[in-house]
Amino acid sequence: MNPLAQLIIHTTVIMGTLITMLSSHWFLAWTGLEMNMLAFIPILIKKTNLRSTEATTKYFLMQSTAAMILMMGIISNTLLSGHWMMTNYASQLPSLMMTIAIAMKLGMTPFHFWVPEVTQGTPLTSGLLLLTWQKLAPISIMYQIHMSINTHILLTLSTLSIMVGSWGGLNQTQLRKILGYSSITHTGWTMMTLTYNPTITILYLIVYIILTTTMFLTLNLNSNTTTLMLSHTWNKSTHLTPPMTFTLLSLGGLPPLTGFLPKWITIQELTMNDNFLVPSIMITMTLLNLYFYMRLIYAISLTLFPTTNNTKMTWQFENTKPMLLISPLIITSTLLLPISPMILAIH
Amino acid sequence: MIPIYMSIALAFTISLLGMLTYRSHLMTSLLCLEGMMMSLFMMMTLIATNTHSPLINIMPIILLVFAACEAAVGLALLISISNTYGLDYIQNLSLLQC
């Protein structure tokens, strides 16, 4: 893309999210979401092939429907309460419409069908922005109205998201689809504690963004998009093999790594509110999530896939992809568990 | 509930259902998207008229601006699909299935 056009488009995406996050007027929040969506479409369709066009169309249809439902909720809220401020005490019908609209924007079940397909059809860096940056604005809206959201509906949406995200990712070999289903699962975990303690939602979101960014950037180094391409990592760039395995384990939520921290705090918060069945279901379903990460680790490090390469190690060329942020991201995504006393002190 | 808001909300609901249940053409979804946007415009104009404050009067126009932008983007995507497949049938968009 033309660098000037790219600058304008990326700036508009960032500005849209910032307008939504910093506003207290409903109309301005909606405007930020619209700006974000309209400017994100060219990023998705950067490479003009058939799959990109299809993915972009599906993304556009879903997001614009969600924006319309959100606007209907906003107007209903105005009619019923008389003002346009984003407060914590909206009435039931507008709150329900807003929850459903934001669930559509985030890709929670039962509105999750677009996430794997859109993540699959777009380049890896666009998929990165799709799964990380595009979550910030809707979650900031949910954070501002968290007291008026019906807890039962949110718990149902989240639990179903975790189930669908875990079961759906089992039959995939395309890495972007796996990361799409992983995003559905983690969004379910993120929204679980919104009505109990929204600080934990923000914690989960931050850790999830760090982990997903690490995954996408390391996958981008060799342009890995399938499991078969991942299996060549030991040969092509051996230095990437341990970081990738540890990041995948961290995504799955295993204890000495960072990914365990938000899950632990979420479960603690739910059990402190006398809710025992839901965390049990959550944990059991997330094991399936860990299973398909383990399958990727198996492909990266524990087996040798059949390959046409005869030499044990290829000549190591200098990498031309951007490697700027990967080292601090890998360190943050695996070694951040010792800060947990600081998080627990927030209670 | 005031009847006029109910009837416009009914128009919104019908357009929403038309957007979600389409048969063969993508254009139907885009038209229903515009229908939703128009019913929201009418509701917002009614709110702006009944709230006697001059600052709110700009809101329906801004909503209309975003409606036009979305229609333009939607049509551009429709044309991009129609360039390769010749039609805008939804069943053509099946490349990315799991």
Side-chain angles (χ1 to χ4, degrees):
Chain A
M1 230 191 326
N2 185 6
L4 182 61
Q6 209 167 12
L7 176 69
I8 294 176
I9 287 171
H10 282 99
T11 309
T12 313
V13 169
I14 294 173
M15 281 303 293
T17 307
L18 282 181
I19 286 175
T20 304
M21 286 167 83
L22 298 174
S23 67
S24 51
H25 193 283
W26 267 118
F27 192 70
L28 212 54
W30 183 83
T31 306
L33 278 176
E34 284 291 283
M35 273 174 66
N36 190 15
M37 190 250 302
L38 287 173
F40 197 66
I41 304 255
I43 296 181
L44 286 179
I45 206 168
K46 236 191 307 201
K47 297 201 175 138
T48 50
N49 52 20
L50 216 48
R51 291 173 300 283
S52 288
T53 317
E54 180 186 332
T56 315
T57 310
K58 287 181 179 165
Y59 180 77
F60 169 74
L61 284 177
M62 273 309 293
Q63 300 279 307
S64 53
T65 313
M68 292 299 110
I69 298 178
L70 182 66
M71 194 50 165
M72 185 64 184
I74 291 171
I75 291 181
S76 312
N77 188 26
T78 307
L79 285 174
L80 286 174
S81 67
H83 62 86
W84 292 87
M85 292 297 119
M86 295 170 83
T87 57
N88 264 333
Y89 24 89
S91 338
Q92 278 185 0
L93 174 66
S95 157
L96 177 68
M97 291 185 90
M98 289 169 192
T99 310
I100 287 182
I102 302 221
M104 284 170 96
K105 284 219 176 246
L106 288 174
M108 293 173 74
T109 311
F111 313 111
H112 66 278
F113 294 97
W114 59 276
V115 181
E117 300 186 2
V118 175
T119 319
Q120 171 67 30
T122 54
L124 273 170
T125 45
S126 306
L128 164 68
L129 277 181
L130 174 73
L131 293 182
T132 53
W133 185 262
Q134 296 296 93
K135 296 213 187 306
L136 287 178
I139 291 186
S140 74
I141 293 182
M142 291 284 255
Y143 185 89
Q144 285 191 318
I145 59 169
H146 71 271
M147 296 281 277
S148 52
I149 299 177
N150 193 352
T151 307
H152 302 295
I153 291 185
L154 202 62
L155 281 185
T156 311
L157 287 177
S158 306
T159 315
L160 285 177
S161 297
I162 297 173
M163 284 194 198
V164 163
S166 305
W167 264 314
L170 284 180
N171 198 18
Q172 311 295 338
T173 53
Q174 297 283 333
L175 291 178
R176 288 171 289 183
K177 277 216 171 88
I178 286 180
L179 285 171
Y181 280 109
S182 143
S183 155
I184 298 174
T185 311
H186 287 287
T187 309
W189 274 90
T190 308
M191 303 308 273
M192 193 64 85
T193 53
L194 187 69
T195 49
Y196 295 115
N197 189 355
T199 313
I200 300 174
T201 302
I202 306 295
L203 168 73
Y204 204 110
L205 184 67
I206 293 174
V207 174
Y208 163 70
I209 286 179
I210 293 173
L211 288 172
T212 312
T213 313
T214 314
M215 257 338 278
F216 268 104
L217 287 180
T218 42
L219 288 179
N220 197 22
L221 286 178
N222 282 334
S223 302
N224 291 326
T225 52
T226 60
T227 316
L228 188 61
M229 288 191 213
L230 255 194
S231 67
H232 295 151
T233 310
W234 65 272
N235 200 350
K236 292 225 169 69
S237 24
T238 322
H239 57 282
L240 274 187
T241 311
M244 226 188 271
T245 53
F246 286 129
T247 312
L248 280 171
L249 286 175
S250 189
L251 260 180
L254 285 188
L257 305 170
T258 313
F260 178 62
L261 175 65
K263 290 194 161 71
W264 169 28
I265 308 274
T266 305
I267 295 171
Q268 181 176 347
E269 192 63 35
L270 284 173
T271 50
M272 277 199 314
N273 283 299
D274 291 335
N275 199 348
F276 299 111
L277 181 63
V278 173
S280 317
I281 299 177
M282 281 160 64
I283 300 168
T284 321
M285 287 301 127
T286 315
L287 278 179
L288 293 172
N289 217 6
L290 183 63
Y291 172 71
F292 57 76
Y293 297 140
M294 287 299 297
R295 202 162 44 187
L296 293 181
I297 295 173
Y298 191 66
I300 295 173
S301 57
L302 291 175
T303 57
L304 290 179
F305 273 38
T307 171
T308 53
N309 198 347
N310 292 326
T311 62
K312 204 169 177 186
M313 195 145 351
T314 54
W315 184 259
Q316 300 288 325
F317 287 106
E318 195 175 315
N319 208 329
T320 55
K321 296 277 171 65
M323 287 189 80
L324 187 60
L325 274 181
I326 292 183
S327 307
L329 277 176
I330 291 173
I331 294 172
T332 318
S333 64
T334 49
L335 295 176
L336 212 52
L337 192 62
I339 70 164
S340 51
M342 196 176 85
I343 311 286
L344 291 171
I346 292 179
H347 285 258
Chain B
M1 206 102 239
I2 307 169
I4 187 157
Y5 288 118
M6 261 168 44
S7 61
I8 300 180
L10 184 64
F12 175 83
T13 314
I14 291 177
S15 295
L16 177 67
L17 285 176
M19 169 111 194
L20 297 176
T21 61
Y22 39 72
R23 290 250 321 256
S24 36
H25 288 275
L26 188 64
M27 194 65 160
T28 321
S29 303
L30 293 180
L31 282 172
C32 289
L33 188 67
E34 288 309 298
M36 286 201 282
M37 195 63 102
M38 286 298 111
S39 63
L40 289 174
F41 173 76
M42 282 196 283
M43 281 185 97
M44 199 178 272
T45 311
L46 282 173
I47 290 175
T49 313
N50 291 332
T51 310
H52 300 287
S53 155
L55 286 177
I56 307 182
N57 290 333
I58 195 69
M59 276 190 204
I61 301 179
I62 298 180
L63 189 61
L64 208 56
V65 165
F66 278 110
C69 289
E70 274 187 20
V73 169
L75 278 176
L77 286 172
L78 182 86
I79 291 175
S80 179
I81 289 180
S82 188
N83 268 342
T84 47
Y85 288 114
L87 289 165
D88 61 340
Y89 281 171
I90 307 281
Q91 62 214 33
N92 285 335
L93 301 177
S94 57
L95 279 180
L96 292 171
Q97 267 178 346
C98 298

